[in-house]
Amino acid sequence: MARGMAWKLLLVGVGGALGAMSRYLLGQWIAARAAPDFPWGTFAINITGSLLIGFVLGLANTGRISDEARLFLAVGALGGYTTFSTFSYEALQLLTERSYTAFLGYALGQLTVGFGATWLGLILSRIGGAR
């Protein structure tokens, strides 16, 4: 593997680990303080991740941070923190490009196919776990 690719993988991997640990710690912290009738931790993580990816990629798009910083922060840390932030950014990019059909297909597809895949996964786990 080329040295450049190894360095990029390291940036993404370390960032991803830090993002995943941050997600876990923040989720636990919120769960200990919030009402149990709503997944407040996940909600807060998705919203803060969306805010942060907009900020980081806005800086990257204008050349104010390096490609390495973008990989570490956006792909690694925020990718480990939440993929909803990437979904939000990509959906908004489609709107910005006035690709309304693609936006609707992407947003509705993510939600409906995502829910369907989760449901199917649950069913398969029950079938596979049946004795």
Side-chain angles (χ1 to χ4, degrees):
M1 182 181 317
R3 183 183 186 304
M5 180 58 74
W7 174 243
K8 290 177 181 180
L9 286 173
L10 182 64
L11 289 171
V12 171
V14 171
L18 292 172
M21 290 185 285
S22 298
R23 177 183 68 226
Y24 175 76
L25 291 173
L26 181 59
Q28 292 298 303
W29 186 83
I30 291 171
R33 289 159 180 76
D37 60 339
F38 187 81
W40 290 109
T42 302
F43 185 83
I45 288 162
N46 286 338
I47 300 306
T48 57
S50 295
L51 171 71
L52 290 170
I53 202 165
F55 183 74
V56 168
L57 291 179
L59 293 175
N61 291 342
T62 57
R64 291 185 281 171
I65 63 171
S66 67
D67 189 52
E68 289 81 9
R70 180 192 62 80
L71 285 172
F72 176 78
L73 294 169
V75 179
L78 292 172
Y81 185 69
T82 174
T83 57
F84 184 82
S85 57
T86 303
F87 162 71
S88 297
Y89 177 79
E90 290 172 346
L92 283 176
Q93 284 301 108
L94 291 171
L95 278 179
T96 301
E97 296 163 3
R98 293 190 161 104
S99 299
Y100 302 117
T101 304
F103 165 77
L104 285 173
Y106 184 62
L108 295 176
Q110 285 280 352
L111 292 173
T112 57
V113 176
F115 286 141
T118 303
W119 175 74
L120 179 60
L122 288 169
I123 289 172
L124 292 173
S125 74
R126 290 180 188 137
I127 293 170
R131 295 179 187 211

